[in-house]
Amino acid sequence: MSTSIQNISLSGHKKQVSNKEMTFWERMYLIAIVKGLIITIKHFFRKKATINYPEQIREFSPVYRGKHTLKRDEFGRENCTACGLCALSCPAEAITMKAAERKPGEEMLYREEKYAEIYEINMLRCIFCGLCEEACPKDAVYLTLSKELVPSMYTREDFIYGKDKLVMPLDIALANSKKA
């Protein structure tokens, strides 16, 4: 049984294409233009999807994750032990850190013997997925519920948040421990 190249179909479905002549109305494209106008007119009467931002604030999703924070414990010490699980779980590879050993006299600053000397999050890469928060065994990384977003800036270096922008302020940490 010989098969020619014209009889072979990779998908198993062979369809014959016809070159029939278009009618006068098909060549004028009037029907297609009228259908397009009807769709456009329908959109005029639908609810607008845009909001006037400074005057109106968009309602956030219930699973919204906002600005990152490195939490402190009830004594004001940093929770992060630089284990690196947050950096490993980040799909965007936005987190970098460098671990260091706690020195004598720094017991009131850091909770464990090891701490994050450098902890940086590149906010241009971050997708706010919350996997860093879920991976942290010490409950150190937290994505806040605040409506504060990453502000716009002019240079890329301003979007790399270090510990100066990420660590929870001491007065807020102590106030939270008094509430509990």
Side-chain angles (χ1 to χ4, degrees):
M1 176 178 183
S2 69
T3 58
S4 66
I5 196 78
Q6 289 85 15
N7 296 335
I8 297 174
S9 171
L10 295 176
S11 65
H13 305 311
K14 189 172 180 182
K15 188 173 185 179
Q16 187 69 29
V17 179
S18 67
N19 263 344
K20 70 173 190 148
E21 276 294 311
M22 292 174 71
T23 65
F24 173 75
W25 291 109
E26 289 173 337
R27 281 183 283 166
M28 294 297 294
Y29 297 109
L30 286 178
I31 296 172
I33 291 171
V34 170
K35 284 181 181 178
L37 284 173
I38 290 171
I39 292 171
T40 304
I41 290 170
K42 282 182 186 176
H43 282 282
F44 275 128
F45 300 107
R46 288 198 179 147
K47 184 178 182 269
K48 307 273 186 288
T50 58
I51 61 167
N52 299 325
Y53 171 63
E55 294 84 27
Q56 297 175 334
I57 296 177
R58 181 178 71 110
E59 190 165 322
F60 288 97
S61 167
V63 293
Y64 167 77
R65 295 178 177 97
K67 185 182 169 201
H68 293 74
T69 301
L70 288 176
K71 289 171 68 176
R72 294 179 183 262
D73 66 2
E74 62 274 1
F75 302 110
R77 301 176 298 188
E78 291 180 18
N79 282 359
C80 182
T81 58
C83 65
L85 289 176
C86 57
L88 285 173
S89 68
C90 182
E93 297 179 359
I95 300 173
T96 55
M97 66 174 55
K98 179 182 172 191
E101 292 287 329
R102 182 176 68 186
K103 296 172 186 68
E106 292 182 337
E107 290 83 16
M108 292 307 295
L109 297 175
Y110 309 110
R111 193 171 166 180
E112 306 283 336
E113 288 79 27
K114 201 170 94 174
Y115 70 97
E117 182 180 30
I118 297 172
Y119 190 98
E120 294 177 339
I121 299 178
N122 186 342
M123 290 304 193
L124 293 174
R125 288 182 135 196
C126 180
I127 58 174
F128 297 93
C129 62
L131 291 176
C132 55
E133 181 181 18
E134 292 175 17
C136 184
K138 299 291 183 177
D139 196 31
V141 181
Y142 181 70
L143 275 69
T144 62
L145 297 175
S146 71
K147 306 303 182 210
E148 183 180 338
L149 301 173
V150 179
S152 60
M153 298 179 200
Y154 292 105
T155 60
R156 289 181 180 264
E157 290 79 27
D158 293 334
F159 287 102
I160 297 175
Y161 283 21
K163 285 180 73 173
D164 56 331
K165 293 182 182 177
L166 293 173
V167 176
M168 180 186 289
L170 187 59
D171 55 339
I172 294 174
L174 294 175
N176 286 345
S177 68
K178 289 177 184 173
K179 288 180 188 176

